[in-house]
Amino acid sequence: MAKVKVGVIGVGSMGENHVRIYSTLKEAKLIGVFDNDLSRAKQIAEKYGTQSFDSIDTLLRGVEAVSVVTPTSTHFQVIEQCLNSSIHVLAEKPMAPTLAESEALVALAKKKKRVLGVGMIERFNPAFKKLQALVKHDLVLGMELKRFSPFPARISDASVVPDMMLHDIDLALALSRTEVDSMKASGRKVRTDRFDECSVTLYFKDGLIAKLEASRVKPDKLRMITVTTDKAIYEADLLNKKLSSRGFDNLPEKTVIEVGRDDQLSLELKDFLHAIDKGRAPKIPGEEALPAIKIVEEVERTAC
Ligand code: NAD
């Protein structure tokens, strides 16, 4: 395939990862970066052998596609500007702070016939992909999804729900066969004036129950999914890319299931570039990210 001319807008901690990976992919020609913090942009550009631009407009003139990795509160405005300039966009998650803004971006991408991918990175995690393939033909009865982190050095502009739990809501929806019928949510403010911890139970129309827990004030990092089906209990450790199963006959013995070691951000960015090249939808197009954003909004509205 021809190399896609690509740029990165917002080169903080996550944006630097996008730059690093684009700089190594054979599918990409990294044109440059823009960040409001011009000295940060210059530093990252030098580190990865690319150019820093002094405005979004000047960067957009030289690229076909960008990753938008600015703070979530700025996504709508920045992504809208890129799409209006007919540039393909990979939006870091969440695509925008609200469902209404996210829907407007999906509609704009459709109108402009541009690719709008969303950085739901865990969908590319090899342990999740294998888990999803294994339970595809089972009857999923229950799930537990836990995502813990120590308190981040930088205070986020969002609560733990869009910041972290969004991933697990999206994964729960991807593993389920029916829609969410109702939910219960509770949250706790510990270190910020937004929820730093949250527990949610999703009740699906077919009886499946998913329990989710997210916290950014735990001593250690953890990302675990347990799925109980009619055939087995599966445990996926997304952090360490490990998967195991236990049959009901041989409890508590675990069978380790081999999973690949591929880096999920590299897979996500390659998929975005291939989608542009082939004129197809990316694996997670904007519209696929909407149901999880809708649930995030409902959790934030109803959690007590
Ligand atoms: P960060 O604060 O480290 O970096 C954001 C950068 O954007 C900063 O360098 C800032 O100067 C710059 N910036 C701010 N406003 C800008 C604007 N209007 N135009 C250009 N640059 C601007 O934040 P981060 O942790 O890298 O998070 C960025 C985004 O990535 C957030 O939306 C976050 O939710 C998402 N994220 C996703 C994952 C994931 O797992 N997919 C992980 C971390 C962060």
Side-chain angles (χ1 to χ4, degrees):
M1 67 174 265
K3 283 180 184 283
V4 177
K5 287 191 247 165
V6 70
V8 178
I9 302 176
V11 288
S13 62
M14 191 62 184
E16 178 174 356
N17 292 329
H18 285 240
V19 176
R20 175 174 50 78
I21 291 169
Y22 281 135
S23 73
T24 63
L25 289 182
K26 67 176 185 334
E27 293 88 348
K29 181 171 170 53
L30 179 62
I31 299 296
V33 302
F34 171 72
D35 195 294
N36 267 359
D37 178 345
L38 296 179
S39 66
R40 169 80 183 167
K42 201 159 173 265
Q43 178 205 338
I44 292 294
E46 273 169 18
K47 185 168 173 187
Y48 296 97
T50 189
Q51 240 185 303
S52 67
F53 289 79
D54 56 11
S55 73
I56 292 187
D57 269 337
T58 50
L59 170 66
L60 294 186
R61 271 182 231 138
V63 297
E64 297 159 78
V66 288
S67 282
V68 173
V69 202
T70 57
T72 302
S73 56
T74 67
H75 281 190
F76 179 76
Q77 193 200 347
V78 175
I79 297 169
E80 187 186 43
Q81 182 179 353
C82 298
L83 291 173
N84 275 330
S85 304
S86 289
I87 302 297
H88 303 286
V89 175
L90 180 75
E92 252 311 337
K93 58 95 314 240
M95 186 179 7
T98 67
L99 179 64
E101 287 168 320
S102 306
E103 285 171 338
L105 292 174
V106 169
L108 181 59
K110 204 169 168 195
K111 185 174 151 206
K112 292 284 184 182
K113 298 191 171 62
R114 296 294 94 178
V115 172
L116 172 59
V118 185
M120 302 308 304
I121 193 169
E122 295 286 34
R123 293 270 208 117
F124 294 86
N125 187 309
F128 177 76
K129 287 203 296 186
K130 187 80 181 197
L131 172 69
Q132 192 178 28
L134 285 171
V135 303
K136 199 171 170 194
H137 301 294
D138 290 8
L139 178 62
V140 179
L141 303 169
M143 294 179 214
E144 279 185 32
L145 302 97
K146 291 185 182 172
R147 185 168 295 258
F148 300 155
S149 281
F151 189 63
R154 293 163 299 101
I155 304 269
S156 158
D157 59 352
S159 86
V160 73
V161 187
D163 209 21
M164 291 173 60
M165 189 182 264
L166 171 67
H167 285 296
D168 290 327
I169 293 172
D170 176 66
L171 299 183
L173 295 181
L175 290 172
S176 66
R177 293 204 182 137
T178 55
E179 286 175 17
V180 172
D181 190 37
S182 62
M183 70 176 72
K184 269 193 209 150
S186 61
R188 221 150 55 97
K189 297 168 188 171
V190 183
R191 298 281 304 272
T192 72
D193 59 358
R194 299 167 199 258
F195 289 140
D196 296 308
E197 295 195 312
C198 191
S199 299
V200 173
T201 308
L202 300 176
Y203 302 90
F204 289 81
K205 287 190 172 154
D206 63 355
L208 163 66
I209 296 175
K211 292 184 178 176
L212 295 88
E213 236 186 292
S215 169
R216 58 185 177 196
V217 288
K218 292 279 194 212
D220 299 306
K221 221 173 169 180
L222 177 118
R223 278 109 178 83
M224 287 295 295
I225 306 181
T226 308
V227 177
T228 306
T229 76
D230 55 338
K231 305 216 174 64
I233 301 166
Y234 296 91
E235 257 179 18
D237 175 346
L238 299 184
L239 201 55
N240 299 302
K241 296 183 184 141
K242 288 188 175 162
L243 183 62
S244 62
S245 72
R246 278 180 283 173
F248 294 108
D249 300 333
N250 58 348
L251 283 170
E253 216 170 286
K254 275 189 187 180
T255 306
V256 173
I257 299 165
E258 283 299 313
V259 296
R261 302 297 305 165
D262 292 334
D263 170 62
Q264 50 267 40
L265 186 58
S266 303
L267 295 176
E268 179 188 295
L269 299 185
K270 272 191 211 177
D271 172 69
F272 174 57
L273 299 172
H274 281 279
I276 294 166
D277 182 59
K278 302 229 159 47
R280 62 155 170 87
K283 190 166 164 20
I284 315 294
E287 52 270 36
E288 175 122 5
L290 295 176
I293 297 176
K294 189 174 174 197
I295 291 177
V296 163
E297 276 197 356
E298 204 162 332
V299 168
E300 298 232 80
R301 195 172 51 77
T302 58
C304 45

